[in-house]
Amino acid sequence: MSRDNYRTIGAIVGLGLGIGAMFLFGMSGVVPGAAFGAGGCVIGGIAGEQIFDRRGPR
C-alpha cells in the first residue's frame, strides 16, 4: 500500500474517532461536528503517514 492509502485510512478512522469524542463530551450539532470531524481527519491522516514511515523503506 502507498503512503496515500495510509493517509486516507487514517483520516477515515480519525473522522469516526472525532465524531465519537464529540458525543462523548456531550456535544451535538453542525459546528461541533465540523470541528471534531476536521480535527480527527487531520490527526488521523498525520498518524497514518507516520505509521507508513515507521514501517521502513519498501
Side-chain angles (χ1 to χ4, degrees):
M1 283 189 356
S2 69
R3 183 180 189 145
D4 289 337
N5 289 343
Y6 275 84
R7 185 184 319 133
T8 301
I9 292 168
I12 292 170
V13 170
L15 175 64
L17 291 175
I19 298 297
M22 178 187 75
F23 287 120
L24 185 68
F25 290 129
M27 298 179 181
S28 64
V30 174
V31 175
F36 278 90
C41 283
V42 169
I43 292 170
I46 292 170
E49 287 183 350
Q50 289 180 353
I51 291 170
F52 177 80
D53 290 340
R54 288 186 183 154
R55 294 190 67 197
R58 296 260 139 190

